[in-house]
Amino acid sequence: MKEQKIHSGWKNTLHEIIYEADTPLGKFFDIVLFVLIILSVILVMLESVKEVDQNFHKILLTLEWVVTIFFTLEYIARLISIKKPWKYVFSFYGIIDLVSTIPLYLSYIFAGSQVLLAVRAFRLLRIFRILKLVKFMGEASQLKAALKASRAKIAVFIYVVMILSVIMGTIMYLIESNEAGFTSIPRSIYWTIVTLTTVGYGDIAPQTNLGQFLATIIMVLGYGIIAVPTGIVTVEFSRHKNGDKTKSVVHTNTQACPSCASEGHRDDASNCYNCGELL
Amino acid sequence: MKEQKIHSGWKNTLHEIIYEADTPLGKFFDIVLFVLIILSVILVMLESVKEVDQNFHKILLTLEWVVTIFFTLEYIARLISIKKPWKYVFSFYGIIDLVSTIPLYLSYIFAGSQVLLAVRAFRLLRIFRILKLVKFMGEASQLKAALKASRAKIAVFIYVVMILSVIMGTIMYLIESNEAGFTSIPRSIYWTIVTLTTVGYGDIAPQTNLGQFLATIIMVLGYGIIAVPTGIVTVEFSRHKNGDKTKSVVHTNTQACPSCASEGHRDDASNCYNCGELL
Amino acid sequence: MKEQKIHSGWKNTLHEIIYEADTPLGKFFDIVLFVLIILSVILVMLESVKEVDQNFHKILLTLEWVVTIFFTLEYIARLISIKKPWKYVFSFYGIIDLVSTIPLYLSYIFAGSQVLLAVRAFRLLRIFRILKLVKFMGEASQLKAALKASRAKIAVFIYVVMILSVIMGTIMYLIESNEAGFTSIPRSIYWTIVTLTTVGYGDIAPQTNLGQFLATIIMVLGYGIIAVPTGIVTVEFSRHKNGDKTKSVVHTNTQACPSCASEGHRDDASNCYNCGELL
Amino acid sequence: MKEQKIHSGWKNTLHEIIYEADTPLGKFFDIVLFVLIILSVILVMLESVKEVDQNFHKILLTLEWVVTIFFTLEYIARLISIKKPWKYVFSFYGIIDLVSTIPLYLSYIFAGSQVLLAVRAFRLLRIFRILKLVKFMGEASQLKAALKASRAKIAVFIYVVMILSVIMGTIMYLIESNEAGFTSIPRSIYWTIVTLTTVGYGDIAPQTNLGQFLATIIMVLGYGIIAVPTGIVTVEFSRHKNGDKTKSVVHTNTQACPSCASEGHRDDASNCYNCGELL
């Protein structure tokens, strides 16, 4: 362990700073990254507002360059400080990091591309990695576990809702034929889901008596149906809550393997569970 | 059992393939059927979109013929491979199968019938039979059991909601008389249900101060009422969850009786619970 | 008990038929009453639909006369067959019965009164009495008990929602001043409740950026708030469910006291809990 | 304790009346205060309704003066009767009391200021102090405890909803570019939250097929997501409910310390938990 440290000391330090959050410098780096991600997403939003973009285009562009350069340096640092760079490049966060970095460069190659503007909003996904900082992590794990356990039931539920929507949508299309926005079956299905989920925009609304009668049935159905996912999740929550101490120990180890960048190690881990590298 | 098999071997094989899903061929058949049902429903949807129908009418019609011919052959095979065909014909799925098969034929007899177009959407119901394939089946049974157990309570609940809607709707009709869409009591009741279920289209909305005041009461009421079905279902879920091992054994036997096509046999069943036929 | 029966035998029989549901005649009477109430409410609805009223006014009026005469006779019978008529007259159902009977008579005195039309919709309340018939009665009692137990918590909840609505509504009024329908504070409060309960008509909607930002906060708040009544009711339900056998015995005695017409006697009651009269 | 009472007898009496609710006079004072707060908030509302303000401006102003003078006297009395006035002045309720008192005075200095009108609505917050009167206090404590316990989980939940909204909003902005109200990313995010929370105003609604398809996904997602806070709160409720007797004793002591005005003392407290002063 000692030899290894000496071998590539600065790389290890860089790894600690960039990938982990249990040293003061690592924490500081994560906070800077957090602020820059939020800033860059706000920049994307402001650029999309015409009045703001017209008046402050230069400032926005400059700030975007600042963010992009920081992200570029960070991406390079991540590549250098890890032992198996290709594994990182093709990992989920590796791709997100690359996509977060390149839009501004690309916009000079493919001029005027609107889509690139918005791709930058995906930078927000990077925030999930910095969640390591947050003390709520244990809570998030519990939520995730409960949702995972009720996954199958929710799938069945959505499946039934889908079939119901298609059949109801088709019937509504026949009843309201071409009136009031029910111009095609897909649009009728769209309306049915809008109604069943109690969203109810009102851009499409039944006009005939029969249509309104069927609509009330769909609504009351939707009202009853909303109880199902709630029931499922509540029961799972209460199970996970009660079984806390014995079953699911929540590990809040924020270290990432210096070799393969895999995360989620046990609190008492000294070797990577994936590649065996010392942590 | 052996003699029977020899007696009408190919019929039994056909039965295995069409009605069951525990042989490779049976599984393959179910997957093909699944794809064709989904395809045929997408065809119905696309036909209802004017732009698509105008440009691709011929392709859509051809594909519809493919589906119809397959369904026709399948229907005949189902009739042949079962011992008591009439029982199948008048069973729930028998009727659904017939209705799924004939619309295209009928459209040549009763020209230009719009309704026939949509009847084809009911083919989706056939998918529930193929659900046998899905591993989520146990989950679905649990959901069904919980909903069944809370059926009576939900009936009481809907009953109260209905009476409330009629009385509230009548009062709103008096307050907003003929203004803002409250043109008749049925329409006012429609509005009340739209509000009580928190759908809220906004095609009808109270304009008077008194009407808006009463509307807020209905909303807060609806907000409280939504808690009731959720509470009911959650409690039932948690009961079924906890009592899992002792009470409700979920049987996932996918076999159907070769004689009377009844399903839902116990996992360890060797004879049909309905007609005694060997499975 | 025997002497009493002899004393006023036909009155007792009448009482049995009208007030109770445990004899065949009593059941039949309740079913007739049920059908007539539903019919009369449908009549009220149809009269409010202009096209129907114009074409079928005579038929509707005739049927309304049939219902009114039946209700009149029934009201008189109820008065005769009970020992303390005044107690009945001023009881809840006594008033409902009277109000259900007289609108048609009054409409000849106060010509053209629209309100009388709608008063007839209150006849629906009479249906709750006939609920005695329904086997779901035990379920309804459980629901009622759970709601009653969570009454205090729901009151606190509505109280907080109200204060929140007033303060939020006032702020929105200041932000959106006179724009987009926020013309006064009461109307802004109306909008806040429409949003908080996730109804969302869209007849009033924020137009300014700040207003829309505040609106999203109200929505997410409303989203979280909806969890509270659900949680309250669910916990009460599960408590009542579990404590079923020991605590709350549900009495389904459908008898009414022949003297004071009070209901809800214990299943094994032989005397009225209110006046001591033999049942 | 006796000497102290003699020392400043009338101050103590005043303190009892104003700050506490366990003497008849104290209760009476709280009720008067309650009525005046409600009255003053109704005045604010009525002033904002143009028709009412034009016709009854003088009456409204007079009543506002009555409320303001009462609040002024009350504020002075609160200052006199407490031992450490500055501590009160800078306490939460001290600031609320001041803000509740001065708007009318200020409106003569800063003429025509609309904002002052609305600031008066914050007087409603004062009502929470008088809640001491209400017997539901124990229930409120339970609700608060349950919400507090699920605070972390709800924070995680809102965090995820926010990130989802930004990403979904950006995608919708790209799809529906500038059509149908999706004029900027912030506005698209506003729409996403309106949809995700099932509010659904309909002032902005997708028009393209792809947009409507994505919208249905957001809706079904929102439908599932609504289950999460409900599940969290329900589980916390049931935990607090069951642990009632042993864990959380609810103290309903309505006394406030005569020296530092801190509240929430134990039921059996004889000294202030904060400054040690005798209660």
Side-chain angles (χ1 to χ4, degrees):
Chain A
M1 192 173 160
K2 218 181 169 185
E3 274 169 273
Q4 251 185 348
K5 274 238 168 119
I6 293 160
H7 182 66
S8 56
W10 65 272
K11 274 196 185 177
N12 264 325
T13 315
L14 198 62
H15 185 271
E16 288 264 307
I17 293 170
I18 294 180
Y19 284 92
E20 282 163 40
D22 46 6
T23 58
L25 257 172
K27 255 183 199 157
F28 177 73
F29 175 82
D30 276 1
I31 290 164
V32 169
L33 197 57
F34 184 85
V35 171
L36 277 172
I37 291 169
I38 298 291
L39 172 71
S40 88
V41 172
I42 292 170
L43 284 177
V44 176
M45 286 188 200
L46 289 178
E47 267 180 57
S48 78
V49 184
K50 274 181 210 75
E51 306 90 64
V52 176
D53 193 42
Q54 276 163 0
N55 297 323
F56 306 101
H57 187 75
K58 281 215 164 153
I59 302 169
L60 292 177
L61 191 66
T62 312
L63 284 169
E64 179 58 27
W65 265 117
V66 170
V67 171
T68 297
I69 287 165
F70 181 90
F71 281 7
T72 309
L73 294 176
E74 184 215 343
Y75 190 73
I76 293 166
R78 276 184 195 274
L79 282 180
I80 291 170
S81 68
I82 208 161
K83 278 177 189 153
K84 297 177 184 160
W86 287 112
K87 222 165 182 176
Y88 162 70
V89 169
F90 294 110
S91 71
F92 176 68
Y93 280 121
I95 292 162
I96 292 286
D97 289 350
L98 188 66
V99 168
S100 300
T101 311
I102 52 171
L104 195 57
Y105 301 125
L106 288 181
S107 72
Y108 284 85
I109 306 173
F110 311 103
S113 162
Q114 265 280 322
V115 179
L116 289 169
L117 176 84
V119 159
R120 281 148 55 199
F122 287 93
R123 286 173 182 166
L124 258 184
L125 287 174
R126 304 190 70 194
I127 272 185
F128 281 107
R129 178 159 52 188
I130 313 179
L131 253 179
K132 293 197 287 189
L133 266 180
V134 184
K135 57 177 173 181
F136 298 150
M137 210 187 144
E139 308 285 348
S141 305
Q142 268 184 39
L143 284 181
K144 237 163 80 184
L147 286 177
K148 212 168 170 183
S150 45
R151 199 179 33 179
K153 277 204 195 63
I154 285 175
V156 171
F157 168 73
I158 287 175
Y159 186 83
V160 172
V161 167
M162 283 302 149
I163 290 181
L164 210 71
S165 301
V166 172
I167 290 174
M168 286 294 196
T170 308
I171 296 174
M172 285 303 288
Y173 169 72
L174 286 179
I175 292 174
E176 296 275 327
S177 50
N178 288 320
E179 252 181 275
F182 294 83
T183 48
S184 68
I185 290 180
R187 197 146 293 208
S188 288
I189 293 170
Y190 163 71
W191 172 86
T192 310
I193 293 176
V194 166
T195 301
L196 209 60
T197 55
T198 76
V199 170
Y201 288 131
D203 53 343
I204 309 172
Q207 298 299 325
T208 64
N209 290 325
L210 189 56
Q212 293 190 340
F213 178 73
L214 195 69
T216 61
I217 291 175
I218 295 175
M219 282 168 217
V220 173
L221 223 71
Y223 210 55
I225 284 175
I226 215 169
V228 176
T230 308
I232 295 167
V233 173
T234 304
V235 170
E236 284 304 330
F237 272 147
S238 75
R239 242 183 18 159
H240 281 262
K241 197 86 197 175
N242 297 333
D244 248 359
K245 286 124 207 164
T246 53
K247 265 190 283 179
S248 60
V249 181
V250 178
H251 293 282
T252 52
N253 192 331
T254 62
Q255 289 187 300
C257 172
S259 168
C260 70
S262 59
E263 296 183 353
H265 303 289
R266 291 175 57 94
D267 287 340
D268 53 356
S270 62
N271 289 65
C272 174
Y273 72 88
N274 191 23
C275 64
E277 182 78 23
L278 277 166
L279 292 175
Chain B
M1 195 172 158
K2 217 181 166 186
E3 276 171 89
Q4 252 185 350
K5 276 238 167 117
I6 294 162
H7 182 66
S8 56
W10 66 273
K11 274 195 185 177
N12 266 324
T13 315
L14 199 61
H15 184 271
E16 289 264 306
I17 294 170
I18 296 180
Y19 284 92
E20 284 162 41
D22 44 6
T23 57
L25 258 173
K27 256 182 201 158
F28 177 73
F29 176 81
D30 276 0
I31 290 164
V32 169
L33 198 57
F34 184 84
V35 171
L36 277 173
I37 291 169
I38 298 291
L39 172 71
S40 88
V41 172
I42 291 169
L43 284 177
V44 175
M45 287 188 199
L46 289 178
E47 267 180 56
S48 78
V49 183
K50 274 182 210 74
E51 306 90 65
V52 177
D53 193 41
Q54 277 163 0
N55 296 323
F56 305 100
H57 187 74
K58 279 216 166 152
I59 301 169
L60 293 177
L61 191 66
T62 312
L63 284 169
E64 178 58 28
W65 266 116
V66 170
V67 172
T68 297
I69 286 165
F70 181 90
F71 282 6
T72 309
L73 294 176
E74 183 214 344
Y75 190 73
I76 293 165
R78 276 185 195 274
L79 281 179
I80 291 170
S81 67
I82 208 160
K83 279 179 189 151
K84 297 178 185 161
W86 287 112
K87 223 164 183 176
Y88 163 70
V89 170
F90 293 110
S91 71
F92 176 69
Y93 280 122
I95 292 163
I96 292 286
D97 288 352
L98 188 64
V99 169
S100 300
T101 311
I102 52 172
L104 195 57
Y105 301 126
L106 288 181
S107 73
Y108 285 85
I109 306 174
F110 312 102
S113 163
Q114 266 280 322
V115 179
L116 289 169
L117 176 83
V119 159
R120 281 150 52 200
F122 287 93
R123 285 173 182 165
L124 258 185
L125 288 174
R126 303 190 70 194
I127 271 185
F128 282 107
R129 179 159 51 188
I130 312 178
L131 255 180
K132 293 196 289 189
L133 266 180
V134 184
K135 57 179 172 177
F136 298 149
M137 208 187 146
E139 308 285 347
S141 305
Q142 268 184 38
L143 284 181
K144 237 164 78 183
L147 286 177
K148 212 170 172 182
S150 45
R151 199 179 33 178
K153 277 205 197 62
I154 285 174
V156 172
F157 168 73
I158 287 176
Y159 186 83
V160 172
V161 167
M162 283 300 148
I163 290 182
L164 209 72
S165 301
V166 172
I167 290 174
M168 286 295 197
T170 307
I171 296 173
M172 284 303 287
Y173 169 72
L174 286 180
I175 292 174
E176 295 275 327
S177 49
N178 289 320
E179 252 181 274
F182 294 83
T183 49
S184 69
I185 290 181
R187 198 146 291 209
S188 288
I189 293 169
Y190 163 71
W191 171 87
T192 310
I193 293 176
V194 166
T195 301
L196 209 59
T197 54
T198 76
V199 170
Y201 288 131
D203 54 342
I204 309 172
Q207 299 299 325
T208 64
N209 290 324
L210 190 56
Q212 292 190 339
F213 179 73
L214 195 69
T216 61
I217 291 176
I218 295 175
M219 283 168 217
V220 173
L221 222 71
Y223 209 54
I225 284 176
I226 217 170
V228 175
T230 308
I232 295 168
V233 173
T234 304
V235 170
E236 285 303 331
F237 271 147
S238 76
R239 245 187 14 163
H240 281 263
K241 198 86 198 174
N242 297 333
D244 248 358
K245 287 121 207 166
T246 53
K247 265 191 285 181
S248 59
V249 180
V250 178
H251 292 283
T252 51
N253 191 331
T254 62
Q255 289 187 299
C257 172
S259 169
C260 70
S262 58
E263 297 184 351
H265 303 288
R266 292 174 57 95
D267 285 340
D268 52 356
S270 62
N271 290 65
C272 175
Y273 72 88
N274 191 23
C275 64
E277 182 78 24
L278 277 166
L279 292 175
Chain C
M1 195 174 157
K2 216 182 170 185
E3 276 170 272
Q4 252 185 349
K5 276 242 166 117
I6 292 162
H7 181 65
S8 54
W10 67 273
K11 275 196 185 176
N12 265 326
T13 315
L14 199 61
H15 185 270
E16 289 264 306
I17 294 169
I18 295 179
Y19 284 92
E20 283 161 41
D22 45 7
T23 58
L25 258 172
K27 254 181 201 160
F28 177 74
F29 176 82
D30 276 2
I31 290 164
V32 169
L33 197 57
F34 184 84
V35 171
L36 277 171
I37 292 169
I38 298 292
L39 172 70
S40 89
V41 171
I42 291 170
L43 284 177
V44 175
M45 286 188 200
L46 289 178
E47 269 180 55
S48 78
V49 183
K50 272 180 212 77
E51 306 88 67
V52 176
D53 193 42
Q54 276 163 2
N55 297 323
F56 305 101
H57 188 73
K58 280 216 167 152
I59 301 169
L60 292 176
L61 191 66
T62 312
L63 283 169
E64 178 57 28
W65 266 115
V66 170
V67 171
T68 298
I69 286 165
F70 181 91
F71 281 7
T72 310
L73 293 176
E74 183 215 342
Y75 190 73
I76 293 166
R78 276 184 196 275
L79 282 178
I80 292 171
S81 68
I82 209 161
K83 279 178 189 154
K84 295 176 185 163
W86 288 113
K87 223 164 180 176
Y88 163 69
V89 170
F90 293 110
S91 72
F92 176 69
Y93 280 121
I95 292 164
I96 291 286
D97 288 351
L98 188 66
V99 168
S100 300
T101 311
I102 53 172
L104 195 57
Y105 300 126
L106 288 180
S107 73
Y108 283 85
I109 307 174
F110 312 102
S113 163
Q114 266 278 322
V115 179
L116 289 168
L117 175 83
V119 159
R120 282 150 51 201
F122 287 93
R123 284 172 183 165
L124 258 184
L125 288 175
R126 303 190 70 195
I127 271 184
F128 281 107
R129 178 159 53 188
I130 312 177
L131 255 180
K132 293 197 288 188
L133 267 179
V134 184
K135 57 179 173 177
F136 298 149
M137 210 188 148
E139 308 285 348
S141 305
Q142 268 184 38
L143 284 180
K144 238 164 79 184
L147 286 177
K148 212 169 172 181
S150 46
R151 198 178 34 178
K153 276 204 197 65
I154 285 174
V156 171
F157 168 72
I158 287 176
Y159 186 84
V160 172
V161 167
M162 283 301 148
I163 290 181
L164 209 72
S165 300
V166 172
I167 289 173
M168 285 295 197
T170 308
I171 295 173
M172 285 302 287
Y173 169 72
L174 287 179
I175 292 173
E176 295 276 327
S177 50
N178 290 320
E179 251 182 276
F182 295 82
T183 50
S184 68
I185 290 179
R187 198 147 290 211
S188 288
I189 293 169
Y190 163 71
W191 171 86
T192 309
I193 293 176
V194 167
T195 301
L196 209 58
T197 54
T198 76
V199 170
Y201 287 131
D203 54 342
I204 309 172
Q207 298 300 325
T208 65
N209 290 325
L210 189 57
Q212 292 189 340
F213 178 72
L214 195 69
T216 61
I217 291 176
I218 295 175
M219 282 168 219
V220 173
L221 222 71
Y223 209 54
I225 283 175
I226 216 170
V228 175
T230 308
I232 296 168
V233 172
T234 304
V235 170
E236 285 304 331
F237 271 146
S238 77
R239 244 187 12 162
H240 281 262
K241 198 88 198 172
N242 296 334
D244 248 359
K245 286 122 207 167
T246 52
K247 265 191 283 180
S248 60
V249 180
V250 178
H251 292 283
T252 52
N253 191 331
T254 62
Q255 289 187 301
C257 172
S259 168
C260 70
S262 58
E263 297 183 351
H265 303 289
R266 292 173 57 93
D267 286 340
D268 52 356
S270 62
N271 289 66
C272 175
Y273 72 87
N274 191 22
C275 65
E277 182 78 24
L278 276 165
L279 292 174
Chain D
M1 192 175 159
K2 217 182 168 186
E3 275 170 273
Q4 252 185 347
K5 277 240 165 118
I6 294 162
H7 181 65
S8 56
W10 66 272
K11 274 196 184 175
N12 265 323
T13 316
L14 199 60
H15 185 270
E16 290 264 305
I17 293 170
I18 294 179
Y19 283 92
E20 283 162 40
D22 46 6
T23 58
L25 257 172
K27 254 181 202 160
F28 177 73
F29 176 81
D30 275 1
I31 290 165
V32 168
L33 197 58
F34 184 85
V35 171
L36 277 171
I37 291 168
I38 298 291
L39 173 70
S40 88
V41 172
I42 291 171
L43 284 177
V44 175
M45 286 188 200
L46 289 178
E47 268 180 54
S48 78
V49 184
K50 273 181 211 77
E51 306 89 66
V52 176
D53 193 42
Q54 276 164 1
N55 296 323
F56 305 102
H57 188 73
K58 281 215 166 151
I59 301 170
L60 292 177
L61 191 66
T62 312
L63 284 169
E64 179 58 27
W65 266 115
V66 170
V67 171
T68 298
I69 287 166
F70 181 91
F71 281 7
T72 310
L73 294 176
E74 184 215 342
Y75 190 73
I76 293 165
R78 276 185 195 274
L79 282 179
I80 292 171
S81 68
I82 207 161
K83 278 177 190 154
K84 295 176 185 161
W86 287 112
K87 222 164 180 176
Y88 162 69
V89 169
F90 293 109
S91 71
F92 176 69
Y93 279 122
I95 291 162
I96 292 285
D97 288 351
L98 188 65
V99 168
S100 300
T101 311
I102 53 172
L104 195 57
Y105 301 125
L106 288 181
S107 74
Y108 284 85
I109 306 172
F110 311 102
S113 163
Q114 265 278 322
V115 178
L116 289 169
L117 176 84
V119 159
R120 281 149 54 200
F122 287 93
R123 285 173 182 164
L124 258 185
L125 288 175
R126 304 191 70 196
I127 271 185
F128 280 108
R129 176 158 55 188
I130 314 178
L131 254 181
K132 294 197 289 189
L133 267 179
V134 183
K135 56 177 174 178
F136 297 149
M137 210 185 145
E139 308 284 348
S141 305
Q142 269 183 37
L143 285 180
K144 238 164 77 185
L147 286 177
K148 212 169 171 181
S150 46
R151 199 179 32 178
K153 275 204 197 63
I154 285 174
V156 171
F157 168 73
I158 288 175
Y159 186 83
V160 173
V161 167
M162 283 301 149
I163 290 181
L164 210 70
S165 301
V166 172
I167 290 173
M168 286 295 197
T170 307
I171 296 173
M172 284 304 286
Y173 169 72
L174 286 179
I175 293 174
E176 295 277 326
S177 50
N178 290 319
E179 251 182 275
F182 294 82
T183 50
S184 69
I185 290 180
R187 197 145 292 207
S188 287
I189 293 169
Y190 163 71
W191 172 85
T192 309
I193 293 177
V194 166
T195 301
L196 208 58
T197 55
T198 76
V199 171
Y201 287 131
D203 53 344
I204 309 170
Q207 298 300 324
T208 64
N209 289 326
L210 190 56
Q212 292 190 340
F213 178 72
L214 194 69
T216 61
I217 291 176
I218 295 175
M219 282 168 218
V220 174
L221 222 71
Y223 209 55
I225 283 175
I226 217 169
V228 175
T230 308
I232 295 168
V233 173
T234 304
V235 170
E236 285 304 331
F237 271 147
S238 77
R239 244 188 10 164
H240 281 263
K241 197 87 197 175
N242 296 334
D244 247 359
K245 285 124 209 165
T246 52
K247 265 191 282 179
S248 61
V249 180
V250 178
H251 293 282
T252 53
N253 191 332
T254 63
Q255 289 187 300
C257 172
S259 169
C260 69
S262 58
E263 297 184 350
H265 304 290
R266 291 174 56 94
D267 285 341
D268 53 355
S270 61
N271 290 66
C272 174
Y273 72 89
N274 191 25
C275 65
E277 183 78 24
L278 276 166
L279 292 174

